[in-house]
Amino acid sequence: MPHQPASSALSRFRVIDLTQVRAGPTCCRQLADWGADVIQVQMPEHMRGDDTLGGQDGSDYQYTHRNKRSITLNLKEPEGIATLKRLIATADVVVENFRPDVKYRLGIDYETLSAQNPGLVYASISGFGQTGPLAQRPGFDQIAQGMGGLMSVTGLPEQGPVRVGIPIADLCAGIFAAQGILVALLEREASGRGQFVHTSLLESMVYMMDFQTSRYLIDGEVATQAGNFHPTSIPTGVYKARDGYLNIAVFGSKIWERFCNILGAPEWIVDPRYHDKPSRSANRDTLNAEIDKRLAQQDRAHWIREFNAGGVACGLISSVKETLEEPQIAHLGMVKEVVSARLGPQRLVGQPMQLERTPSSIARAAPRRGEHTEEVLSELGIAQDALQNMKAQGVY
């Protein structure tokens, strides 16, 4: 069936998704969830590589490719490339994450395509950038986590480097690419021209290091692992109550005073070891041990209730199951429902921001490979007999 926009917000835009694995598909999912007509272009089934995130029926693939249409085109065939270019001529956006040289070899680089479609916004996601000494290296999430500095500040002191438990480099690169695309589309409204947008896993990780980079660039401090505790604001981190662990965040002198009073330790407010931020940082191990001793007198529920009532941020450390069953998550409507014609009812996490007038939804489940090939090519004006001839020749 024709495009079913998940939102009216971006429904006027058509996006050609030439990506695979995670970073690129994440970018395109962001656009699809806000209503863009995202057409995923994949190789025919008999030619596909390992690009399906655990198989098309797997939960990962279903989550990443919802709200898209899927076509197959054999890009090793001249007619496949010609058909792709014909499709791109109708599009606002192209997203690709080939190795930097592949798009030039296929003749689907920005310079070539923008000559035909000057308004085209062309987004590339790579491991290390489009140019430079590492541009041709293969990219992978964990490699970027390591080279971007993240693994050096994650984990317990002296534990050795630790990866983050999600593919954060892939996800951030995809989200930043989507943001870049939206900026370029806004700029196009003034100039009438598209442009080349590009980001990489490495750039996304360096950016996400945030205050840790400014600590070095401005203050000359090289951050190290701080474990479950905030590197500069003490006490903020994981603490143990009588029945388990919880997070507590104490920022600023007023919050510190409230924290001490709720914990039954008002004397800490004037204790020279703890009375200001530098003192608490210098004596963090002693302070954290004292806090755990006080917390051990009550269960987590007691402390969460008391601290939050007193204006001190505090919360459980939840499993994925506990998170998705949290009443506040239900209230926020983050879990959406959709029905897959092949797999039946599904529940998936939706977008984390709310637009009241033009909300996002999950309008359709992830498509099967090539499910919409004839539908989309027919929209280009290709007749049915021509389609069947293309299919017989292995073009799709």
Side-chain angles (χ1 to χ4, degrees):
M1 63 181 67
H3 174 45
Q4 297 174 266
S7 170
S8 60
L10 300 180
S11 61
R12 66 190 183 279
F13 297 114
R14 171 170 279 187
V15 177
I16 308 305
D17 176 3
L18 302 178
T19 69
Q20 58 182 353
V21 189
R22 191 177 308 278
T26 294
C27 168
C28 295
R29 182 193 64 217
Q30 292 299 104
L31 303 174
D33 278 3
W34 291 104
D37 181 12
V38 175
I39 300 173
Q40 181 185 16
V41 180
Q42 298 173 286
M43 292 295 280
E45 182 70 30
H46 68 280
M47 300 182 64
R48 73 176 180 87
D50 185 18
D51 62 350
T52 54
L53 294 171
Q56 293 184 74
D57 291 344
S59 58
D60 198 355
Y61 189 89
Q62 294 296 307
Y63 175 69
T64 303
H65 294 289
R66 80 275 186 106
N67 286 329
K68 303 177 185 180
R69 294 194 284 174
S70 172
I71 71 170
T72 56
L73 282 175
N74 183 354
L75 301 185
K76 296 182 178 181
E77 290 287 336
E79 191 172 358
I81 292 291
T83 304
L84 175 62
K85 288 182 176 180
R86 186 171 172 180
L87 180 62
I88 290 172
T90 72
D92 301 279
V93 178
V94 168
V95 186
E96 63 86 21
N97 62 351
F98 302 122
R99 291 191 314 276
D101 62 313
V102 171
K103 53 182 167 284
Y104 295 100
R105 177 161 50 80
L106 294 176
I108 52 172
D109 54 280
Y110 171 68
E111 292 79 5
T112 299
L113 296 178
S114 62
Q116 178 188 27
N117 183 354
L120 184 68
V121 173
Y122 187 108
S124 294
I125 305 173
S126 62
F128 300 97
Q130 296 298 302
T131 58
L134 303 183
Q136 298 302 323
R137 275 194 187 183
F140 187 76
D141 175 86
Q142 188 159 334
I143 306 302
Q145 286 194 35
M147 293 180 68
L150 182 60
M151 291 175 67
S152 74
V153 298
T154 304
L156 300 173
E158 301 182 7
Q159 179 183 12
V162 176
R163 70 179 292 276
V164 173
I166 58 171
I168 191 168
D170 280 335
L171 298 176
C172 289
I175 292 168
F176 291 150
Q179 181 181 5
I181 289 166
L182 295 176
V183 171
L185 289 172
L186 281 171
E187 193 279 336
R188 190 179 73 171
E189 293 182 359
S191 69
R193 298 169 56 200
Q195 59 183 300
F196 186 24
V197 176
H198 48 91
T199 188
S200 65
L201 275 62
L202 182 60
E203 288 167 283
S204 74
M205 281 297 84
V206 172
Y207 185 82
M208 289 301 292
M209 290 296 288
D210 198 71
F211 74 97
Q212 300 286 31
T213 59
S214 60
R215 285 179 71 189
Y216 173 70
L217 293 172
I218 295 175
D219 302 328
E221 297 180 17
V222 178
T224 58
Q225 292 164 307
N228 287 320
F229 296 99
H230 194 280
T232 60
S233 183
I234 306 299
T236 295
V238 176
Y239 295 92
K240 191 173 184 180
R242 185 163 60 191
D243 65 337
Y245 293 95
L246 70 166
N247 275 315
I248 303 172
V250 178
F251 286 87
S253 58
K254 292 296 184 184
I255 304 299
W256 166 244
E257 292 177 10
R258 295 177 195 171
F259 173 77
C260 294
N261 286 321
I262 293 168
L263 206 55
E267 67 276 11
W268 291 354
I269 298 171
V270 295
D271 190 318
R273 298 172 299 169
Y274 310 140
H275 77 285
D276 60 15
K277 184 176 178 180
S279 300
R280 291 194 293 274
S281 183
N283 296 286
R284 66 172 64 202
D285 291 341
T286 301
L287 177 57
N288 285 335
E290 295 243 24
I291 292 171
D292 276 342
K293 189 182 301 182
R294 299 267 179 162
L295 291 172
Q297 298 171 15
Q298 297 286 347
D299 289 348
R300 290 174 298 174
H302 168 84
W303 294 119
I304 290 170
R305 182 175 63 252
E306 293 299 313
F307 283 130
N308 281 294
V312 178
C314 181
L316 290 173
I317 301 171
S318 303
S319 67
V320 174
K321 177 179 184 294
E322 291 166 334
T323 295
L324 295 177
E325 293 178 354
E326 161 64 45
Q328 182 67 16
I329 299 300
H331 171 78
L332 294 170
M334 287 202 69
V335 177
K336 309 292 187 184
E337 297 183 354
V338 69
V339 177
S340 166
R342 177 179 174 83
L343 303 174
Q346 296 179 340
R347 298 170 69 232
L348 300 169
V349 170
Q351 285 292 314
M353 66 286 245
Q354 308 298 326
L355 274 64
E356 291 290 329
R357 187 167 52 81
T358 59
S360 171
S361 67
I362 302 181
R364 68 164 93 211
R368 296 291 295 169
R369 180 187 296 269
E371 180 178 335
H372 305 98
T373 302
E374 294 188 6
E375 171 183 296
V376 170
L377 297 187
S378 294
E379 292 172 4
L380 297 180
I382 300 175
Q384 191 63 35
D385 57 345
L387 288 174
Q388 294 307 311
N389 187 48
M390 291 170 64
K391 185 173 184 178
Q393 294 178 359
V395 177
Y396 72 85

